[in-house]
Structures are given as C-alpha cells and as structure tokens.
Amino acid sequence: MILPSFNELDSVQKSIFTEDNKNKNILIIGPPGTGKTIVAFHKALNLKNLGKKVILIMYNKVLLKYTKSTSAASNINLSTMHSWIYKMWRQSEKLEGSRPPVKDNNRFAIDWFKVLTDIKAINNKEDLEIINWGHMIIDEGQDFPDDMFFCLHFLTNHFKKHGLESTLTIFADENQVITENNARISSIEQHLGIVEGDNRKFCLTKNFRNTRQIANFAKHFMNADYYGTPVDPPNKSGPRPSILIYPKRQNNSQSLFKIKDPIFYPKIKKLIYQLPNKKYAIIIDGNNSDLENVYYSFAKLFEGSKFKVQGYINEHPKFELSVENLDFISDNTITILNKKSSKGTEFDIVFFIGIEQTKYDHTEGVDVMKNLFVISSRAKEQFYIVFGMIDEKEGMPAITKILPNPE
C-alpha cells in the first residue's frame, strides 16, 4: 500500500483531523477507493507523534499484512481485533481466565457483553491503564458485530471516568458488508452517540483508486446510496471491465475448480504477459480446496517466469499459502484469494473466477450484488469476470442477468 503524505490528502480527508475531534468518537464512511485506510493510517501516525497510545485494528490477516506493506507501518501498533483482545486478556491479572469470554466455545465468537461486564468490574486506574487501548481506530467497521460497538463505546466512558484517554474512530462502508454478523452504519452511529450536526460523522467521496469505467461498473452493484452526498467519479480513464466466456468441455462432469488444465488458464497467462510489471489478483468464488487447486495450477503455469504466484488460506500448514508469504509490495505478483480475504486490498488487474457456480435467486440476490461490488472495486486499472465452464446447450447462467448492460 502506498501512503501519500498528509499534504496530499484532500480537504475532506484533512477535515477529519480538526482540533475539536481529537478526544471524541467519530465515524468515517465512504465507498471503495476514497482513502479510508490511508486516512486511518494518518490519524494513527498523528496520534503516535503526539505521544498518544493508539492501535489500528484491521478486519482480517490479509488486510493486516496488506497495510503492513507501507513503510509507516513499523511506527504503528497494528492488529486484528481477535489478536488484540486475546493479548489484552493475557496482560491483565484482573481479567479471569487465559482468554476472553466466547460464545458456544468458538474462539472467534467473542461474547462482547461478558467482556463489558468483566472490564467494568475493574475500578482501579492502574489496572485499567494496562488494558485501556487509548485511541482505537477500526478499519472495515461494517464487518464487525453490532454488540462489539455497544461494548467498546461503554468502555470508553468507563476509562474516561477513571481519568484515562479513550476514543474510537470507525471507518466503514455498508455497501461492502461480506459477513453474516455485521453492523449497519445507523447502528454504529447510535452506539457512538453521534447525532446530526455534532461534527463527528464524515463522508469521503473522491475515488482515487479505480478508473471511471471500473467505478461505474462497481456502482451498478451498490445496494444503497446512504452516503448523503454525491460520490465524485475518478479522473482516470481505462478499458471497460471485460467478460471472458469459455465453453464447457464435452462430457466433462467435474466442477470448475477441479478441472485439470482448464482452457482459460493459458488465456489469463497470456493477458498477464501482455500487461507486465503490475500487481495481479485472481479472486475466486470457491472454498479452500478450490483455492488450493487454483494456486497450484497457476504456480505450475508460471513456473520459471518472473511472476510470483502467491495465495492465502487461513491456518494452512504450508508456508506458501500462509499470510506471511504474501508480498503486496512487488510488481509481477499474482495473488490468489477468496472473495472475503480480498476485502480492503487493491490490485492493478483483477480476474474474478467462479461466478457461474454462484447460486442466484431472489433470496440471495443482495449478497451476490454486494460481493460483486466489493470484488470489482479491488481493481485499479482492469477488471475481468471469467466464465470458465459454460454449457453451450443450456446457455448463459442466471447470474448474468444482474450484470450491467455492456453500454
């Protein structure tokens, strides 16, 4: 991730740093490419330079690794929410047990109401200082559970009551929700105590990432326009997003990601060779086994070339598919991710594979639209949707009905 200097931020982005916001909980919303993560970094750096305690929370491990690729990352305390709260529980002798309370014995399902109860029982300033986050900045806030914001807001008041600085800054976009247990913008506002006219809610509107063509394509899948102000189109222009269609081989009953040497893999390779020295992503609509198959196929395809093929599967035993192996700095990297792991990242050229396997009906239409909104907006320069196994007798699948008109 390239971090522009503070002077390069636009006037709306700089307005977030005004003096009267420094000790208040604030909310920043905006569509993809408007610089939410960049502003989050600058706010964290600003607080750190003022000698404040600050932590920047990322939604998942891939986004955490992506943000660590900037040179400024070494100066900031970066963490996922899961890692941070487990560390907090280990640091405090006043919190019972070796881990935070969870629901249904699921270590990823934090019981936030129990967290609130346990911490509010501590009333000694010195003990609270150990676990007080100081200034917490949360990126991709819409993908965190609603009860988390309820808990964190009450805890900021508990810390302040004992003379400790404690604030929340939340960056979110409701159109980019990809989790089942998420928070709506209106709910986050309510939990942070934000009301109309108190200068604690900001909207970023300028798209600095995409071309105008990609931004228009992504906008087609926007679920709701709740930003409250018109979104400024990008200045950059480029090719329109493309749909690549390949027929199903005769008598082939295998699923898309189980096919040996699919005919469209060499076509993707050819496109990548025609557009060298970029950062590429292949985002799949599939499970971990599918991603593993795609990764090893492309690793073999580009073996001996200048291109590095890399992928990520959560808690995979092999280093080559671990988050530590991901390189978000170098060009000529081909990163293979599932749709959830791609959240918050950006690449020059993005290929999306597996859309024809997506079940599409009226009950799941909104989720499919949100996924396409998130995935297409990852691309800075070019975006391709690949239909890799179309049955010519049956025609195009129903999912194509939600794609925009080519014009």
Side-chain angles (χ1 to χ4, degrees), residues 161-175:
K161 187 174 72 175
H162 290 84
L164 300 171
E165 280 192 16
S166 186
T167 65
L168 298 167
T169 300
I170 313 299
F171 292 81
D173 179 9
E174 199 167 305
N175 279 304

Side-chain angles (χ1 to χ4, degrees), residues 10-47:
D10 67 17
S11 58
V12 179
Q13 291 171 327
K14 287 179 180 178
S15 68
I16 296 166
F17 297 84
T18 57
E19 185 68 34
D20 59 342
N21 293 323
K22 287 187 177 178
N23 294 308
K24 296 178 179 178
N25 296 336
I26 64 172
L27 171 65
I28 300 97
I29 63 173
T34 52
K36 294 187 294 297
T37 302
I38 287 170
V39 174
F41 244 102
H42 273 293
K43 174 144 191 178
L45 286 170
N46 181 50
L47 289 165

Side-chain angles (χ1 to χ4, degrees), residues 37-242:
T37 302
I38 287 170
V39 174
F41 244 102
H42 273 293
K43 174 144 191 178
L45 286 170
N46 181 50
L47 289 165
K48 182 75 181 293
N49 292 336
L50 291 172
K52 307 292 186 181
K53 186 178 180 181
V54 59
I55 183 165
L56 179 52
I57 298 290
M58 295 292 165
Y59 173 67
N60 59 31
K61 292 179 182 178
V62 173
L63 186 53
L64 182 67
K65 182 64 184 281
Y66 176 74
T67 52
K68 282 184 176 179
S69 65
T70 179
S71 59
S74 58
N75 297 321
I76 299 298
N77 184 10
L78 282 161
S79 178
T80 62
M81 180 62 75
H82 181 261
S83 295
W84 169 77
I85 196 167
Y86 269 75
K87 182 179 179 181
M88 180 178 71
W89 232 258
R90 291 192 299 269
Q91 287 177 329
S92 175
E93 296 179 357
K94 298 294 182 179
L95 294 172
E96 293 183 6
S98 59
R99 67 177 196 177
V102 297
K103 301 174 184 176
D104 303 323
N105 207 30
N106 178 355
R107 66 190 180 96
F108 294 103
I110 303 299
D111 187 341
W112 286 102
F113 291 110
K114 185 67 166 62
V115 167
L116 175 60
T117 302
D118 290 355
I119 296 179
K120 284 191 73 175
I122 304 173
N123 285 292
N124 180 281
K125 182 178 180 179
E126 287 70 27
D127 293 328
L128 286 172
E129 196 159 15
I130 295 171
I131 58 177
N132 176 35
W133 54 74
H135 298 267
M136 180 181 286
I137 302 168
I138 300 176
D139 200 14
E140 304 294 347
Q142 73 281 348
D143 286 323
F144 291 94
D146 191 63
D147 50 4
M148 184 193 81
F149 294 104
F150 179 88
C151 167
L152 294 179
H153 175 62
F154 270 86
L155 288 178
T156 58
N157 293 331
H158 185 62
F159 291 133
K160 287 176 181 177
K161 187 174 72 175
H162 290 84
L164 300 171
E165 280 192 16
S166 186
T167 65
L168 298 167
T169 300
I170 313 299
F171 292 81
D173 179 9
E174 199 167 305
N175 279 304
Q176 295 189 66
V177 167
I178 57 170
T179 58
E180 294 178 0
N181 190 14
N182 53 67
R184 297 185 66 86
I185 296 299
S186 57
S187 180
I188 297 174
E189 287 182 57
Q190 183 179 359
H191 292 320
L192 298 186
I194 294 175
V195 296
E196 190 73 29
D198 65 358
N199 195 34
R200 292 198 290 127
K201 179 182 176 182
F202 301 85
C203 182
L204 303 178
T205 60
K206 182 65 178 177
N207 186 330
F208 296 95
R209 175 192 298 158
N210 310 124
T211 61
R212 188 166 58 255
Q213 289 78 7
I214 292 172
N216 285 337
F217 182 84
K219 186 179 179 181
H220 174 78
F221 304 105
M222 187 181 291
N223 185 44
D225 184 5
Y226 61 88
Y227 303 115
T229 183
V231 176
D232 299 329
N235 295 325
K236 296 184 297 180
S237 184
R240 286 187 298 176
S242 298

Side-chain angles (χ1 to χ4, degrees), residues 276-296:
N277 304 317
K278 304 286 185 182
K279 296 178 179 66
Y280 314 87
I282 296 173
I283 301 175
I284 73 160
D285 193 350
N287 58 33
N288 287 347
S289 176
D290 296 331
L291 194 148
E292 197 168 4
N293 288 336
V294 174
Y295 167 77
Y296 285 114

Side-chain angles (χ1 to χ4, degrees), residues 240-256:
R240 286 187 298 176
S242 298
I243 296 174
L244 310 179
I245 302 171
Y246 299 93
K248 180 180 180 180
R249 286 177 177 170
Q250 207 169 22
N251 301 323
N252 193 332
S253 60
Q254 291 179 302
S255 64
L256 175 66

